[in-house]
């Protein structure tokens, strides 16, 4: 008898591996380019200010340099504008997510994904590289480009989650998506490495490297990605060695499967795994895409969206502010702070994978999230009192990332996929990209608001109050999904009693 692990892996083909890797590295490259902007802010600020405040500029007089760049009189103005660009990007990204999810469910996911990757790469090249090569600096151009960049990047996440949802059934999805959702953290690490490697030649080359890699990734996706098993004539059977998260009859069917087909158009599966569809089958009718309001009203979408808004606010605050906090609060060098901040991403990678695996074996997601978020509140208290020791700080950072980044990854990937192909849809409508866009879009609005609140609280009350704010937001995440937690715990209790009576 084969082991459960072998049975679990046997259901997958090389097509699944290709889909996993292409979607994974698509978002890695996107997040690497997003991280690049954060890593080169100091250099950009120096370039936009007069040479009297910028020792790296050529030997022009301050007035001459000011006339040439014509942006800001001092670094404070440049820094403020960079913060405005962050807010502009996050809000446009959030608005775009609501639209791109709907578009992704109505068009070929491969086209939308490739367009978002290549279009965003071109915008980043113009923003960071071309304007510097041409020595052309304009506030309104930068704002317009960053709004466009946010809209284009918003097309990527709903599409990659939808593709993964099509290829991987609900059984084992927590583990698979937990491992796959490390793509954002891996992208952060890659972006920091690439930017630091070429920054000595000028910040424009950091944008050049990441934008070229992202554009190349978009081209590879366009020619190499299969968005659904149907494109190669595969079907997905529900039985695997892991218990399904929900016991509904269609919980393992891919998003794009049709239950209400004509007789004689059945797919043939061999042994519960994937086989080639028989050649005499009639083409199936394409499922109808669900409306935006319908998707918002699906069970669980609104609670998880609001919970993710609070959680992403905390998660992205660490993303944007952690190196700054480490440098200012502990007096460590910027390079040391950058390297130390990576441990938060490492904790998130491990947390998302392990917690996803636990949720698969438990058969429920919400209780796992609740426990992790409760422990995250304790981890935030502990990290706020971190000693000025880099080893201890790294350990506390990894722990905090485990309990915050893990649930964040689960909601944005595995849970979004669960919501997008739940029983209420009855397999007749496509909703995965739309639901993912709603969840991540709402989360991005929270993250955008959070960046302003963090800076305001820090300037008025200090960093300790910022951590209290994080704790409150984490608690709000639990409150929003509390009804789902109670419902799933009750279901687990009924199942346990039923099994006891059977014995």
């Amino acid at each position: 008898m084969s082991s459960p692990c072998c049975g679990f892996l046997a259901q997958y083909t090389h097509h699944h591996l290709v889909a996993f890797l292409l979607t994974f590295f698509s978002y890695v490259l996107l997040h690497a380019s997003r991280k690049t902007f954060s890593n080169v802010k100091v250099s950009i600020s120096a370039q936009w200010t007069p040479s009297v405040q910028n020792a790296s500029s050529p030997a022009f007089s301050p007035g001459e340099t000011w006339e040439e760049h014509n942006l800001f009189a001092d670094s404070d103005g440049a820094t403020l504008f960079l913060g405005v660009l962050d807010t502009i990007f996050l809000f446009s990204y959030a608005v775009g997510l609501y639209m791109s999810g709907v578009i992704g469910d109505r068009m070929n996911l491969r086209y939308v994904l490739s367009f978002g990757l290549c279009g965003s790469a071109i915008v980043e090249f113009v923003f960071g590289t071309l304007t510097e090569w041409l020595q052309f600096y304009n506030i309104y151009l930068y704002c317009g480009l960053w709004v466009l960049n946010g809209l284009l990047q918003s097309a990527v996440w709903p599409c990659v989650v939808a593709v993964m949802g099509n290829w991987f059934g609900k059984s084992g999805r927590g583990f698979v998506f937990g491992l796959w959702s490390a793509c954002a953290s891996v992208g952060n690490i890659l972006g920091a490495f690439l930017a630091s490697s070429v920054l000595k030649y000028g910040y424009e080359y950091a944008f050049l490297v990441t934008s070229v890699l992202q554009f190349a990734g978009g081209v590879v996706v366009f020619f190499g990605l299969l968005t659904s098993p149907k494109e190669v004539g595969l079907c997905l059977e529900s039985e695997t060695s892991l218990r399904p998260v929900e016991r509904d009859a269609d919980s393992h069917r891919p998003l794009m499967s049709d239950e209400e087909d004509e007789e004689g158009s059945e797919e043939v599966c061999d042994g519960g795994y994937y086989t080639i569809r028989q050649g005499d089958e009639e083409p199936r009718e394409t499922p109808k895409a669900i409306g935006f309001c319908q998707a918002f009203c699906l069970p669980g979408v609104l609670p998880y969206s609001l919970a993710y808004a609070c959680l992403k606010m905390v998660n992205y605050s660490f993303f944007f502010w952690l190196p700054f906090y480490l440098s200012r609060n502990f007096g460590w060098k910027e390079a040391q702070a950058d390297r130390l901040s990576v441990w938060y991403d490492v904790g998130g990678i491990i947390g998302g994978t392990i917690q996803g695996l636990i949720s698969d074996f438990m058969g429920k997601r919400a209780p796992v999230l609740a426990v992790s978020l409760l422990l995250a509140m304790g981890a935030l208290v502990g990290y706020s009192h971190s000693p000025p020791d880099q080893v201890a700080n790294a350990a506390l950072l990894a722990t905090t990332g485990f309990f915050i980044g893990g649930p964040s990854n689960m909601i944005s990937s595995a849970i979004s996929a669960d919501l997008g192909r739940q029983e209420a849809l009855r397999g007749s409508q496509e909703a995965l990209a739309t639901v993912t866009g709603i969840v991540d879009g709402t989360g991005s609005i929270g993250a955008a608001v959070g960046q302003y609140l963090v800076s305001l609280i820090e300037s008025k009350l200090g960093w300790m109050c910022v951590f209290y704010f994080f704790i409150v937001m984490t608690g709000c995440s639990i409150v929003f999904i509390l009804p789902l937690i109670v419902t799933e715990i009750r279901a687990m209790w009924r199942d346990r009693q039923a099994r006891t009576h059977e014995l």
Side-chain angles (χ1 to χ4, degrees), residues 211-224:
S211 62
V212 168
L213 288 176
Q214 184 178 318
F215 188 89
V219 174
V220 172
V221 165
F222 182 81
F223 289 104

Side-chain angles (χ1 to χ4, degrees), residues 364 366-367 481-494:
K364 304 295 178 185
I481 61 172
L482 189 59
L484 301 176
I485 296 171
V486 173
T487 299
E488 293 193 6
I489 290 177
R490 285 178 176 174
M492 291 172 63
W493 179 253
R494 287 195 300 268

